[in-house]
Amino acid sequence: MKKVVILGGGGGGAILANLLPKDEFDVTVIDKKENHVFLPGNLFIAFMGHKKERYMKPLKELLKPHIKFLHDEIISLDLNERKIKTKGKEIEYDYVAIATGAHLDYDAISGNTELLNKFGDYYSGPENAAKLHNTLMGMKEGNFVIAVADPIYMCPPAPQKGAFLSSKFFAKRGLKEKVKVILALPFPHAYSSKVISDIIEPELRKEGIEVHTFFTVDSIDTKNKKIFSVEGEEINYEVAVVIPIHEGPEYEVKPAEVKDDSNYIKIDKYTSKVEGFDDAYAIGDCTNAPTSKSGVTAHLQAETVASRLQGFDAKYSGRTNCPLLTNGTGLFIISDYDHPPVPVKLSKFKRLMEDLFVATYWDAIRYPELWEPIFKAYFEATNPEVLGKEGW
Amino acid sequence: MASKVLEELSENETDALKKTLCFLMKLNEMGILDTLNHLLEPEVIGGLSSLILNKGTLKLLDNVDTLLKSLGEVPKEPKEVGVFGLLGELRDPDVKRGLGFVIALLRSLGKALKSNFS
Amino acid sequence: MAVIRVDARGMACPGPISALTKAYRKAKNGDILEVLATDPGFKPDVQAWVKRTGNELTELTEEKDYIKASIKVTAKKT
């Protein structure tokens, strides 16, 4: 039996654990949280008023019965000694997979923690998403600003999704004329990719959403309700969400060189192997892989690592499939390491597919072997190479 | 044990349970349960998925919206069009766009047929 | 005053501008930001960026297989 320890039971960690055959692997998952959270659900909690329980499940129930779950906080990981130290234990392993996600550093931007405590947001968890919903329910007029503190953050289309959904929310409350939704982004266009930006800009205009480009949050003045940008501009707000600076894991990892200057774990982008190690992998939002920080990335990297641990030469292509939804329609941002995002038109069918992905999320985690062939067929049919310049 | 479980159930639940059992018995007698059991293999699910989920079907489903909308707007009794009428209609940009779509469809259909039969 | 080199070669959008923004956050007036990029969209993007931020573009050249931009930081608020 090979002893595999997986750090973190989010999407990537849980799928990897469930994919490893029980007769070959002795698997332990460590997480400081007892509940697994479906992160995109935060958007639906905040802007559509969904109950937060819908997007949370005890991790224990999501893992197959033979998998050990250790509810504990990781203190350090020593890759040379093959040792993990948690608050309560010391564990050794044959293989380790780091899947603890990104650390949200609200303190890096002055005023951001205060903003979070006052309004809530849709990045830090279901509780704060519910709080944001309450804040928005009480909003009567003024600017609702969604801004970004750094161009690297989870779920690249999340600011735009937040803008579309909040615009719909305010229209429903009869406040279309009184509340203005402002989207402030570090990019030259309404989306980091020009191709996607050209597709959604008319929709943003139709909704009356104001877009500020080249706006990377530098600091927030909560007294005078102003957000200042690194580029030297400012925006007034009544309510604001500032997506915080993201970093790699906080806990110590030895040797220190495996973390980059933002603490992300340096990996080989194809195999997910931690640089310099054959028995250590990292998947999902905690890595420096030059692809989107998204659930699909974590999922596909988990499949890659599961295959590699079973002796196959699997590789991750960098494929993304980030859903972007507007009012009633949706699209996917489809790219990989070799192809920038392909043009994809907004349609009701793609929105339906997105809703299907959300509805089947728990099953895709609990029974990855059933869903793997289905997703594989979808990913093959929508491979950026197959879709080509024409897109979908 | 079983009777104890039944005692705990409400009338509605017992009724639903009986019907489900009846349904399962039918499925079993017809061999559908055995067949389904044998079909539930990753290879079969994978094969079926790639048959259903391909570039063509995904594009079709993506356009269902447009197709259904345009079908709904076709008049109940479209007027007859002859050769000269057709030439006139060809000046209409909407007709041109529709014709372009049909020709592109015919072209790729022709290509697919050629590779299927040669 | 320092020359800060940002190598964004091989990064597709938003790579180069993101890398530039990251470096600009830490830069001081008088610093030179030297950005190398392969993404063809970088050229118009960096021109637009300089115009918006009020910094000085001292060099923008297309080398054989990359684009090089030098920016003198002048518009940072202290």
Side-chain angles (χ1 to χ4, degrees), chain A residues 109 149-151 187-189 192 213-214 216-217 230-233, chain C residues 12-14 17-18 21-22 24-25 45 48-49 52-53 76-77:
Chain A
I109 299 281
D150 187 78
F187 317 114
H189 322 283
S192 54
T213 55
F214 289 135
T216 315
V217 177
V230 176
E231 293 85 352
E233 292 175 8
Chain C
C13 60
I17 286 290
S18 302
T21 305
K22 236 182 160 98
Y24 184 64
R25 189 192 284 278
D45 287 351
W49 185 87
R52 275 285 289 280
T53 56
K76 271 288 247 229
K77 281 180 194 151

Side-chain angles (χ1 to χ4, degrees), chain A residues 280-306:
Chain A
Y281 293 89
I283 59 175
D285 296 341
C286 68
T287 82
N288 73 335
T291 180
S292 299
K293 299 211 173 299
S294 73
V296 172
T297 303
H299 189 153
L300 293 175
Q301 285 174 329
E303 286 181 2
T304 303
V305 173

